Amino acid sequence: MRIIEAAGLVAIGGMLALAPARADTVPPFKGNDTGGIIAYSLTSQTDIRALAINHCASYGKVVKFLAIEPHYGGYISFACRWVPYGAAGQPVRAAY
């Protein structure tokens, strides 16, 4: 009985070892209401500052850049914050 179980485990392990690994692709720009990432390769193609500002503004927030990995495959990370660092109170709203 143990030989059959061992053979089954070896067969399952062999199938898993031979199966190709598939990784999900990440888009060049990805984010939500708390922040996001921008592929470093976009720095030569578009204004990444404006991209991040517009993204955070769509949630009524301001952008805070966190880190940059300046190499192929690297990302620029940013956070969307309610109040800028060092602000005394709530953001100013314009009443029309």
Side-chain angles (χ1 to χ4, degrees), residues 5-95:
E5 291 175 1
L9 286 175
V10 169
I12 291 173
M15 287 189 305
L16 290 175
L18 296 176
R22 295 176 58 190
D24 291 335
T25 58
V26 178
F29 177 79
K30 185 172 183 161
N32 56 20
D33 64 327
T34 61
I37 56 173
I38 304 170
Y40 187 74
S41 61
L42 284 181
T43 57
S44 62
Q45 300 170 3
T46 185
D47 183 11
I48 58 159
R49 240 178 109 79
L51 192 65
I53 289 170
N54 290 336
H55 173 75
C56 290
S58 68
Y59 294 104
K61 297 182 177 184
V62 295
V63 68
K64 171 67 177 172
F65 285 96
L66 301 175
I68 298 175
E69 294 181 50
H71 57 79
Y72 179 76
Y75 280 93
I76 300 165
S77 61
F78 64 92
C80 297
R81 298 187 38 87
W82 285 111
V83 180
Y85 291 116
Q90 295 295 323
V92 177
R93 288 186 172 179

